[in-house]
mmCIF file of all heavy atoms in Angstrom:
data_model
loop_
_atom_site.group_PDB
_atom_site.id
_atom_site.type_symbol
_atom_site.label_atom_id
_atom_site.label_comp_id
_atom_site.label_asym_id
_atom_site.label_seq_id
_atom_site.Cartn_x
_atom_site.Cartn_y
_atom_site.Cartn_z
ATOM 1 N N ALA V 41 70.484 100.801 79.911
ATOM 2 C CA ALA V 41 71.517 101.320 80.823
ATOM 3 C C ALA V 41 72.840 101.544 80.104
ATOM 4 O O ALA V 41 73.871 101.705 80.742
ATOM 5 C CB ALA V 41 71.715 100.336 81.971
ATOM 6 N N TYR V 42 72.820 101.573 78.771
ATOM 7 C CA TYR V 42 74.049 101.674 77.986
ATOM 8 C C TYR V 42 73.968 102.901 77.082
ATOM 9 O O TYR V 42 72.946 103.164 76.468
ATOM 10 C CB TYR V 42 74.260 100.387 77.179
ATOM 11 C CG TYR V 42 74.293 99.194 78.107
ATOM 12 C CD1 TYR V 42 73.132 98.492 78.387
ATOM 13 C CD2 TYR V 42 75.463 98.833 78.749
ATOM 14 C CE1 TYR V 42 73.142 97.437 79.291
ATOM 15 C CE2 TYR V 42 75.491 97.787 79.644
ATOM 16 C CZ TYR V 42 74.321 97.088 79.916
ATOM 17 O OH TYR V 42 74.341 96.046 80.811
ATOM 18 N N SER V 43 75.070 103.634 76.996
ATOM 19 C CA SER V 43 75.082 104.897 76.274
ATOM 20 C C SER V 43 75.043 104.692 74.758
ATOM 21 O O SER V 43 75.265 103.599 74.253
ATOM 22 C CB SER V 43 76.347 105.685 76.635
ATOM 23 O OG SER V 43 77.491 105.015 76.138
ATOM 24 N N LYS V 44 74.796 105.795 74.066
ATOM 25 C CA LYS V 44 74.807 105.792 72.600
ATOM 26 C C LYS V 44 76.166 105.324 72.090
ATOM 27 O O LYS V 44 76.240 104.506 71.169
ATOM 28 C CB LYS V 44 74.505 107.207 72.099
ATOM 29 C CG LYS V 44 74.693 107.410 70.629
ATOM 30 C CD LYS V 44 74.531 108.874 70.255
ATOM 31 C CE LYS V 44 74.913 109.085 68.806
ATOM 32 N NZ LYS V 44 74.822 110.497 68.432
ATOM 33 N N SER V 45 77.250 105.814 72.695
ATOM 34 C CA SER V 45 78.591 105.419 72.237
ATOM 35 C C SER V 45 78.869 103.945 72.523
ATOM 36 O O SER V 45 79.549 103.276 71.744
ATOM 37 C CB SER V 45 79.666 106.304 72.862
ATOM 38 O OG SER V 45 79.627 106.223 74.267
ATOM 39 N N SER V 46 78.338 103.419 73.626
ATOM 40 C CA SER V 46 78.495 101.984 73.904
ATOM 41 C C SER V 46 77.788 101.165 72.834
ATOM 42 O O SER V 46 78.357 100.209 72.293
ATOM 43 C CB SER V 46 77.926 101.630 75.277
ATOM 44 O OG SER V 46 78.697 102.215 76.296
ATOM 45 N N TRP V 47 76.552 101.533 72.498
ATOM 46 C CA TRP V 47 75.828 100.809 71.455
ATOM 47 C C TRP V 47 76.552 100.912 70.118
ATOM 48 O O TRP V 47 76.587 99.959 69.349
ATOM 49 C CB TRP V 47 74.379 101.315 71.333
ATOM 50 C CG TRP V 47 73.510 100.739 72.399
ATOM 51 C CD1 TRP V 47 72.960 101.388 73.459
ATOM 52 C CD2 TRP V 47 73.118 99.365 72.530
ATOM 53 N NE1 TRP V 47 72.245 100.502 74.235
ATOM 54 C CE2 TRP V 47 72.311 99.266 73.688
ATOM 55 C CE3 TRP V 47 73.356 98.218 71.790
ATOM 56 C CZ2 TRP V 47 71.768 98.050 74.118
ATOM 57 C CZ3 TRP V 47 72.807 97.010 72.205
ATOM 58 C CH2 TRP V 47 72.023 96.931 73.355
ATOM 59 N N HIS V 48 77.154 102.058 69.850
ATOM 60 C CA HIS V 48 77.924 102.215 68.615
ATOM 61 C C HIS V 48 79.071 101.202 68.584
ATOM 62 O O HIS V 48 79.309 100.544 67.563
ATOM 63 C CB HIS V 48 78.447 103.644 68.511
ATOM 64 C CG HIS V 48 79.174 103.911 67.235
ATOM 65 N ND1 HIS V 48 80.538 103.748 67.110
ATOM 66 C CD2 HIS V 48 78.732 104.297 66.016
ATOM 67 C CE1 HIS V 48 80.894 104.030 65.872
ATOM 68 N NE2 HIS V 48 79.819 104.369 65.182
ATOM 69 N N ARG V 49 79.776 101.055 69.704
ATOM 70 C CA ARG V 49 80.881 100.084 69.763
ATOM 71 C C ARG V 49 80.370 98.656 69.613
ATOM 72 O O ARG V 49 80.967 97.846 68.901
ATOM 73 C CB ARG V 49 81.652 100.237 71.080
ATOM 74 C CG ARG V 49 82.489 101.495 71.143
ATOM 75 C CD ARG V 49 83.409 101.482 72.353
ATOM 76 N NE ARG V 49 82.714 101.338 73.619
ATOM 77 C CZ ARG V 49 82.229 102.345 74.344
ATOM 78 N NH1 ARG V 49 82.367 103.589 73.918
ATOM 79 N NH2 ARG V 49 81.616 102.123 75.486
ATOM 80 N N TYR V 50 79.265 98.328 70.269
ATOM 81 C CA TYR V 50 78.724 96.962 70.192
ATOM 82 C C TYR V 50 78.272 96.623 68.777
ATOM 83 O O TYR V 50 78.542 95.537 68.267
ATOM 84 C CB TYR V 50 77.532 96.774 71.139
ATOM 85 C CG TYR V 50 77.771 97.143 72.582
ATOM 86 C CD1 TYR V 50 76.712 97.577 73.371
ATOM 87 C CD2 TYR V 50 79.038 97.079 73.161
ATOM 88 C CE1 TYR V 50 76.901 97.918 74.701
ATOM 89 C CE2 TYR V 50 79.225 97.427 74.490
ATOM 90 C CZ TYR V 50 78.153 97.837 75.259
ATOM 91 O OH TYR V 50 78.331 98.176 76.565
ATOM 92 N N LEU V 51 77.577 97.558 68.128
ATOM 93 C CA LEU V 51 76.983 97.292 66.820
ATOM 94 C C LEU V 51 77.973 97.418 65.666
ATOM 95 O O LEU V 51 77.628 97.111 64.527
ATOM 96 C CB LEU V 51 75.782 98.220 66.605
ATOM 97 C CG LEU V 51 74.618 97.951 67.567
ATOM 98 C CD1 LEU V 51 73.613 99.083 67.523
ATOM 99 C CD2 LEU V 51 73.965 96.620 67.274
ATOM 100 N N ASN V 52 79.183 97.870 65.964
ATOM 101 C CA ASN V 52 80.234 97.924 64.951
ATOM 102 C C ASN V 52 81.372 96.959 65.267
ATOM 103 O O ASN V 52 82.456 97.062 64.695
ATOM 104 C CB ASN V 52 80.754 99.352 64.792
ATOM 105 C CG ASN V 52 79.739 100.206 64.061
ATOM 106 O OD1 ASN V 52 79.384 99.912 62.925
ATOM 107 N ND2 ASN V 52 79.254 101.243 64.707
ATOM 108 N N ALA V 53 81.134 96.022 66.189
ATOM 109 C CA ALA V 53 82.066 94.950 66.538
ATOM 110 C C ALA V 53 83.391 95.467 67.076
ATOM 111 O O ALA V 53 84.411 94.802 66.958
ATOM 112 C CB ALA V 53 82.300 94.018 65.353
ATOM 113 N N VAL V 54 83.356 96.646 67.696
ATOM 114 C CA VAL V 54 84.570 97.174 68.319
ATOM 115 C C VAL V 54 84.758 96.537 69.691
ATOM 116 O O VAL V 54 85.878 96.272 70.111
ATOM 117 C CB VAL V 54 84.484 98.713 68.446
ATOM 118 C CG1 VAL V 54 85.647 99.274 69.233
ATOM 119 C CG2 VAL V 54 84.398 99.333 67.066
ATOM 120 N N GLN V 55 83.660 96.269 70.370
ATOM 121 C CA GLN V 55 83.690 95.733 71.722
ATOM 122 C C GLN V 55 82.482 94.807 71.892
ATOM 123 O O GLN V 55 81.394 95.129 71.418
ATOM 124 C CB GLN V 55 83.615 96.889 72.718
ATOM 125 C CG GLN V 55 83.517 96.492 74.153
ATOM 126 C CD GLN V 55 83.340 97.711 75.052
ATOM 127 O OE1 GLN V 55 83.440 98.843 74.610
ATOM 128 N NE2 GLN V 55 83.073 97.473 76.305
ATOM 129 N N PRO V 56 82.659 93.681 72.578
ATOM 130 C CA PRO V 56 81.497 92.820 72.804
ATOM 131 C C PRO V 56 80.550 93.446 73.830
ATOM 132 O O PRO V 56 81.009 94.048 74.797
ATOM 133 C CB PRO V 56 82.101 91.519 73.341
ATOM 134 C CG PRO V 56 83.431 91.890 73.875
ATOM 135 C CD PRO V 56 83.889 93.086 73.102
ATOM 136 N N PRO V 57 79.252 93.322 73.614
ATOM 137 C CA PRO V 57 78.307 93.896 74.574
ATOM 138 C C PRO V 57 78.177 93.010 75.806
ATOM 139 O O PRO V 57 78.351 91.791 75.724
ATOM 140 C CB PRO V 57 76.994 93.915 73.792
ATOM 141 C CG PRO V 57 77.121 92.780 72.843
ATOM 142 C CD PRO V 57 78.582 92.713 72.470
#
Side-chain angles (χ1 to χ4, degrees):
Y42 303 92
S43 67
K44 171 187 172 182
S45 59
S46 292
W47 281 110
H48 184 268
R49 288 190 302 272
Y50 306 152
L51 294 167
N52 286 300
V54 173
Q55 175 184 352

